[in-house]
Amino acid sequence: METKSKIALVTGASRGLGRDMALNLAKKGIDLVITYHSNETAANNLVSEINALGLKVKAFQLDTSNIKTFDSFSAVLSKYLKSEYDKTNFDFLINNAGTGVYGSVTDTTEEAFDAMMNIHFKGVYFLTQKLLPMLNDGGRIINISSGLTRISFPNVSAYASMKGAIETYTKCLAKELGARQITANIIAPGAIATDFGGGSNKTNAEKRSVIANITALGRMGEPEDIGGVVAFLCTPEAGWMNGQRLELSGGMML
């Protein structure tokens, strides 16, 4: 059945930031397609939660670091959109999927470096490329960076470097896609209490205290601090924002 519903695709949405992004998009009346890497149970729980809000949502398994799967994923996505909406396009692409693997400059292996590259930069680059023909003119692309592109800590050189690349890439996207009225912006979370990178931001009381003390608002960030801003970027009110980096860190190390 044809519908005028807006549709957002959020990668890595089964847990953490991606889950909160999807929920906030649904609260804006936007239908969802979400991907998950391995946690199908968490993805299905999110599907149920969004369905309860009266919105359509579909979960697909996708390893965003494996570029060879992107052709089959785009075919499955196209088939779903055609059967559910009688169209093969969607409106908002949120490249959220990621992992946290840290190590010093001297200890980082080529394998660890390549893993960071594949999921945080190369995968984002080529998944976006693959999906651009399916993205409606006037759509939005939101890429996820990190506060670590502005401030430096030990043991994050590979991860932070990939996020720096994503920021440059996003500005290029904004320039190249302007003719199609597609905007591209960057969300850069600060320290957030999720399972990311081993979950120490949730479980390490000493680390949480240190971060709170260097943050103007005096606490650790939570997933709920991020998703609403992503949803806002998919509203008409945010249509003139383009090529921008929005840091959501509560004023960390100002």
Side-chain angles (χ1 to χ4, degrees):
M1 179 181 298
E2 188 170 359
T3 176
K4 295 183 179 179
S5 297
K6 298 289 187 181
I7 305 164
L9 169 59
V10 184
T11 65
S14 63
R15 297 184 298 163
L17 299 186
R19 181 181 185 279
D20 192 68
M21 293 172 193
L23 285 171
N24 276 277
L25 287 160
K27 291 173 183 177
K28 293 284 188 185
I30 297 169
D31 285 348
L32 273 301
V33 175
I34 63 171
T35 75
Y36 64 94
H37 180 239
S38 58
N39 197 333
E40 184 177 7
T41 299
N44 288 336
N45 289 340
L46 177 60
V47 167
S48 297
E49 201 166 342
I50 292 174
N51 283 155
L53 296 173
L55 277 298
K56 294 180 181 178
V57 56
K58 181 70 173 179
F60 294 105
Q61 193 280 331
L62 178 66
D63 179 356
T64 56
S65 70
N66 187 355
I67 294 167
K68 293 179 180 179
T69 65
F70 293 173
D71 280 337
S72 58
F73 172 72
S74 62
V76 169
L77 175 61
S78 179
K79 183 178 180 180
Y80 166 74
L81 294 173
K82 183 65 176 178
S83 65
E84 192 67 39
Y85 297 95
D86 195 27
K87 61 182 181 180
T88 57
N89 290 66
F90 65 101
D91 302 281
F92 312 122
L93 173 60
I94 296 93
N95 287 305
N96 167 73
T99 58
V101 179
Y102 304 129
S104 70
V105 171
T106 54
D107 292 337
T108 295
T109 65
E110 183 179 359
E111 290 75 17
F113 184 95
D114 286 346
M116 286 285 96
M117 171 71 80
N118 287 340
I119 193 165
H120 287 287
F121 183 43
K122 189 176 180 181
V124 171
Y125 192 105
F126 286 102
L127 182 61
T128 301
Q129 181 188 80
K130 179 62 63 178
L131 296 178
L132 274 177
M134 300 173 65
L135 191 64
N136 279 322
D137 290 354
R140 312 281 168 85
I141 297 172
I142 301 166
N143 292 327
I144 310 303
S145 181
S146 169
L148 294 171
T149 62
R150 179 178 65 85
I151 55 179
S152 297
F153 289 101
N155 302 320
V156 298
S157 60
Y159 173 79
S161 295
M162 305 313 163
K163 291 304 190 182
I166 279 295
E167 293 190 4
T168 299
Y169 166 62
T170 304
K171 292 178 183 179
C172 294
L173 273 180
K175 192 76 167 182
E176 290 196 23
L177 300 179
R180 293 182 56 190
Q181 300 298 295
I182 294 172
T183 66
N185 291 291
I186 303 148
I187 293 290
I192 308 294
T194 68
D195 294 328
F196 189 81
S200 61
N201 286 348
K202 288 175 65 174
T203 61
N204 187 323
E206 182 180 358
K207 183 178 181 182
R208 289 174 61 88
S209 177
V210 169
I211 289 171
N213 286 333
I214 59 174
T215 300
L217 293 181
R219 65 171 175 83
M220 173 72 71
E222 300 292 338
E224 293 77 16
D225 296 318
I226 308 300
V229 181
V230 171
F232 166 71
L233 289 176
C234 296
T235 65
E237 290 81 3
W240 197 237
M241 184 175 292
N242 196 16
Q244 301 303 304
R245 177 189 186 273
L246 303 180
E247 182 173 315
L248 307 179
S249 67
M252 187 175 180
M253 294 185 71
L254 293 175

